[in-house]
Amino acid sequence: MSESMNVVDLLIRLLSAESVTPDDAGLMDFVTEYLPEYEAIRVDEGGVKNLFLTRKFSEGDHLCFAGHVDVVPAGEGWESDPFVPRIENGHLYARGAQDMKSGVAAAMAVLREAKHFPGRLSLLLTSDEEGDATYGTQIMLAHLEEIDLLPESCVVAEPTCETTFGDAIKLGRRGSINGHLTIRGQQGHAAYPEKSVNPVHQIAPRLAELAGIDLDSGDEDFAPSKLVITDIRGGMEVTNVTPSDLKIMFNVRNNTRTTAEDVRSHVERVCEGLDFSLELTQGSWPFVTDRGAGIVGKITASIEAVTGILPAYSTAGGTSDARFMGQYGVDVVEFGTRNDTIHAANERVAIDEVEGLYRVFGDLIVQWV
């Protein structure tokens, strides 16, 4: 492929592919062809496509752009075909417009046009970020570690901005701990409560120590780790039988000050003396990139140069593949367009934001020293 596209045309091409997780809809081949001067490394596993493109310009730093080509299902309520991009009032409508093919397009465009860089540039893409991510970015990072190609710095082009393009960079993410707590009692007739052990009555006076409790006080980078109850159920949906057990499900979006063991200790203390069991699973771990890291200062300067806005540093939101970078010691930040329509019907992105993101990434490469 010899002809270059402008970043909006490139985004339209990406959005036209129905790449619902974990299907890449041929995009990995397209990206490889679009960046012919970059060496391609593929690690496909478990039905997931993973691509790493890299080009060494000189000795020096290794800067990686990363993202995903997969999108969530379109769902209902669209005013037009979600995989036939349409432009209206300065916005581009399609599934994945914000999350996150706009970021992928901006990275691809600047990498193709890069002529000089004091080191190595690369692009890491997966087709399984919106799913379990079991065979996605972390598989590629493990391979890159084996072949000594892990980057020192990385920009994950997820949509990060809140109200205005340029207003936020993510320096980290909270982890996610899921809990299943079962309080066991003894079923009985509601008319004879003394002959039963009602787990609802047992936990009721202690519930305030679980529901919405802060497990730490937070810090400069993170809000407190809060225990959020997501489901409570027990009984047979009748009025005259007490339940034999009560099941409580909860989630903790934990910061770097609270671990799964801390959560376990707290719940076990609250439930002391009860007949209970507790299962905890951690789907992701918290991380934060030091504010003094080079990538933080450099992308902050590029955002301010392009937008005139000094971005805030944030760790809010759910999870992203940046968490895997953090586990490998890579200095990683996230920056992209606004995120006000992600995963929604009629997802859209402002065209001027796509062009602005392309300029920010371009400035980052040009000004890198």
Side-chain angles (χ1 to χ4, degrees), residues 5-229:
M5 304 180 186
N6 69 48
V7 68
V8 176
D9 289 339
L10 183 55
L11 176 56
I12 289 172
R13 170 63 180 85
L14 298 179
L15 293 171
S16 300
E18 192 169 346
S19 54
V20 177
T21 311
D23 186 7
D24 78 321
L27 286 179
M28 298 306 192
D29 290 338
F30 169 73
V31 175
T32 301
E33 293 173 4
Y34 190 79
L35 295 169
E37 296 185 354
Y38 288 73
E39 175 191 357
I41 299 173
R42 292 286 295 269
V43 181
D44 299 342
E45 189 171 338
V48 175
K49 304 294 194 302
N50 298 301
L51 171 65
F52 184 74
L53 295 171
T54 185
R55 182 181 178 188
K56 183 176 181 179
F57 292 80
S58 65
E59 296 298 328
D61 296 337
H62 180 177
L63 171 63
C64 177
F65 292 88
H68 59 92
V69 300
D70 61 311
V71 298
V72 297
E76 303 296 326
W78 287 78
E79 295 176 4
S80 59
D81 189 325
F83 295 103
V84 178
R86 66 180 174 91
I87 295 176
E88 182 178 325
N89 296 326
H91 288 82
L92 185 53
Y93 289 78
R95 173 56 84 221
Q98 285 186 337
D99 189 11
M100 60 165 284
K101 290 181 177 179
S102 54
V104 174
M108 289 173 61
V110 298
L111 288 176
R112 181 173 175 117
E113 295 172 4
K115 303 301 181 187
H116 305 284
F117 186 75
R120 178 185 295 271
L121 292 174
S122 60
L123 175 66
L124 193 163
L125 297 176
T126 183
S127 69
D128 184 22
E129 192 272 352
E130 298 290 4
D132 294 335
T134 302
Y135 300 109
T137 295
Q138 60 181 328
I139 296 293
M140 179 60 81
L141 288 172
H143 179 69
L144 294 179
E145 184 178 48
E146 289 178 4
I147 62 176
D148 197 27
L149 266 182
L150 280 174
E152 287 84 36
S153 302
C154 180
V155 178
V156 179
E158 289 277 6
T160 59
C161 299
E162 296 297 330
T163 60
T164 304
F165 176 67
D167 66 6
I169 302 169
K170 291 193 186 298
L171 297 185
R173 294 275 188 162
R174 298 171 295 175
S176 180
I177 301 168
N178 293 318
H180 292 76
L181 172 64
T182 300
I183 312 295
R184 288 180 289 270
Q186 181 179 329
Q187 183 177 304
H189 198 297
Y192 302 95
E194 70 279 3
K195 297 182 179 181
S196 63
V197 177
N198 192 324
V200 178
H201 292 183
Q202 288 187 309
I203 197 64
R206 313 181 189 204
L207 196 57
E209 296 182 72
L210 293 177
I213 195 75
D214 287 342
L215 299 171
D216 57 58
S217 57
D219 57 24
E220 179 185 21
D221 296 306
F222 292 99
S225 303
K226 186 181 294 292
L227 194 154
V228 177
I229 292 180

